[in-house]
Amino acid sequence: EPVHGPPPASQLPAVLMLVLLVGASIFDMRERRLPNAYAAVMLVVSVVATVACAGMEVLLANGVTVVVITLALVGFELGYRRVRGSSGMGMGDIKALVPLMVVNPSCALMAFAVGLLALALAGLLLHRRALPFLPFLTLGWLLMGCLGTCSV
């Protein structure tokens, strides 16, 4: 029999991130950017929710992954910009991924991959070279949550 009511505490950070991602997606669709203040709110919420629901040990373990992956993505993006003379992924996309990785690095990276695939498919279908990424990241995060993989 289905269980009704609020999500279990272990899913609270993922649910909060989904709500904030919807807002980030709206910014991205309207302005093609993610304001630093909004990204900071996402990060603070992810840290507080992760500590409250999973503890400081999980936050610290996830933090190592966040630093390594973020440095790799920023390095790749800067190299891409230098070689191509234009941006590939925006820094706002990376800023939005960081709080997701704080909550659950594996789920965040799966959501990132799903979002990239969905973005590529939409670009092909719409014959567009550039589309805002955050709505696709949100879709990936939602799909991972529906599959039950986004709890801390």
Side-chain angles (χ1 to χ4, degrees), residues 92-142:
D93 301 330
I94 297 172
K95 288 189 294 188
L97 182 62
V98 167
L100 302 183
M101 289 191 294
V102 167
V103 169
N104 184 321
S106 299
C107 183
L109 293 174
M110 287 187 294
F112 184 70
V114 168
L116 288 173
L117 289 171
L119 175 66
L121 182 60
L124 287 172
L125 293 173
L126 299 172
H127 304 287
R128 302 270 311 268
R129 287 194 51 122
L131 291 167
F133 176 64
L134 294 185
F136 297 98
L137 179 60
T138 303
L139 174 66
W141 187 257
L142 178 63

Side-chain angles (χ1 to χ4, degrees), residues 33-94:
R33 68 185 198 93
L34 179 62
N36 288 337
Y38 196 89
V41 167
M42 290 178 70
L43 183 60
V44 168
V45 168
S46 71
V47 167
V48 170
T50 299
V51 170
C53 295
M56 185 61 82
E57 298 81 23
V58 170
L59 177 67
L60 293 175
N62 291 357
V64 171
T65 304
V66 169
V67 169
V68 170
I69 301 274
T70 302
L71 288 174
L73 287 172
V74 169
F76 182 78
E77 174 60 20
L78 292 176
Y80 182 89
R81 288 178 184 196
R82 184 179 186 118
V83 170
R84 300 281 299 194
S86 64
S87 66
M89 174 187 308
M91 291 298 172
D93 301 330
I94 297 172

